[in-house]
Amino acid sequence: MLKIKQYGVELTRLQFEDIELVRFWRNQDFVVKNMNYQKKISKIEQENWFHSINNKFNYYFIIKLNNKKIGVINSKNYNTKLAYGEGGIFIGEKDYLNSTIPTFATLCLLNAVFFEIKLTTISRIKIMNSNKASIDYNKLLGYKILENTDDGMSSYYELTLENYKLYGSKLNHAAKIANNNNDLIEISGEPSDINLPEINFYLKNQICQ
């Protein structure tokens, strides 16, 4: 199972046994209001969704803090030709909404794909135009607006490696200080057919070290 750890948080690749918890989180009103798809999700729909994303082009992680599961972060629909995926995050446990944990989880995943695995130099996200808090937060990371969606309800944003180095360095520095000057990142797991070759190559090298 693919795991990424940094800044006191652990990102664990989504497993089938967690999808009902994720469905419960996803169907909460305070989560749904910031999603493009706003209908309640059924058990069957959730199972079908999991089977559709449990592959090498989609990476959904449970966010853990001290072994407590609090939300989901992802990079989905990875385009092998253009070498980028679409990022996303939501917190399912309301007590952590306004904490530093969402930021730490985001930095953890971005640092892994940009600096450790070196999988991409671009990240893209889609945010509802009404979600001002998320827009402001992602601008702090260095995301720049690209275009509106066809329905005008959301917009696409892009983060380049260069902008992340510029903007993200301040947040990474703050996260390091908040974690006793520790910014060590750990990526572990077994090579798998649901991983991209670049990820399997990285994992194999880690095992050999």
Side-chain angles (χ1 to χ4, degrees):
M1 184 194 314
L2 185 61
K3 295 182 181 180
I4 309 171
K5 298 179 182 178
Q6 192 180 31
Y7 301 138
V9 298
E10 177 179 297
L11 311 182
T12 304
R13 188 91 176 257
L14 180 66
Q15 304 294 298
F16 184 81
E17 57 263 30
D18 284 321
I19 66 173
E20 272 301 289
L21 173 61
V22 172
R23 184 170 78 93
F24 167 75
W25 286 340
R26 179 64 175 75
N27 283 337
Q28 296 176 102
D29 289 341
F30 75 90
V31 175
V32 172
K33 71 176 184 178
N34 291 320
M35 296 293 182
N36 288 281
Y37 184 80
Q38 300 202 338
K39 295 180 180 179
K40 295 291 184 181
I41 298 169
S42 70
K43 180 180 175 66
I44 294 299
E45 287 173 328
Q46 186 76 347
E47 290 180 0
N48 289 339
W49 167 78
F50 175 77
H51 292 306
S52 74
I53 58 89
N54 190 36
N55 56 54
K56 63 183 179 181
F57 304 110
N58 295 279
Y59 296 84
Y60 284 78
F61 297 90
I62 295 289
I63 303 168
K64 294 182 181 179
L65 178 68
N66 298 323
N67 286 321
K68 180 177 176 60
K69 299 170 183 179
I70 66 170
V72 176
I73 190 169
N74 69 270
S75 178
K76 69 178 184 178
N77 300 328
Y78 183 81
N79 186 314
T80 54
K81 291 183 179 179
L82 301 177
Y84 71 80
E86 182 182 321
I89 184 174
F90 74 85
I91 300 301
E93 298 295 331
K94 207 168 187 177
D95 290 345
Y96 295 89
L97 274 177
N98 297 314
S99 73
T100 57
I101 304 308
T103 300
F104 292 167
T106 302
L107 294 173
C108 180
L109 184 56
L110 289 174
N111 290 339
V113 298
F114 276 145
F115 300 138
E116 284 295 307
I117 304 173
K118 298 180 173 64
L119 184 62
T120 184
T121 59
I122 295 173
S123 172
R124 288 187 179 173
I125 57 176
K126 182 168 65 174
I127 310 175
M128 291 188 69
N129 295 331
S130 59
N131 191 352
K132 301 302 183 184
S134 182
I135 292 171
D136 291 343
Y137 162 69
N138 282 287
K139 283 182 176 178
L140 285 176
L141 288 166
Y143 281 92
K144 305 292 184 182
I145 190 167
L146 282 178
E147 59 184 359
N148 290 324
T149 56
D150 291 339
D151 61 11
M153 299 293 291
S154 305
S155 297
Y156 288 102
Y157 294 77
E158 182 177 271
L159 175 66
T160 63
L161 175 59
E162 290 76 15
N163 276 342
Y164 183 60
K165 286 178 178 179
L166 178 64
Y167 291 86
S169 62
K170 298 174 184 177
L171 291 173
N172 273 298
H173 181 67
K176 179 180 178 179
I177 292 174
N179 285 272
N180 299 313
N181 284 316
N182 182 3
D183 63 353
L184 177 67
I185 187 169
E186 300 176 40
I187 304 174
S188 61
E190 296 291 329
S192 167
D193 59 3
I194 63 169
N195 290 335
L196 288 163
E198 295 90 341
I199 295 175
N200 282 335
F201 180 78
Y202 179 91
L203 294 174
K204 287 176 183 176
N205 283 343
Q206 292 296 103
I207 293 171
C208 293
Q209 289 178 2

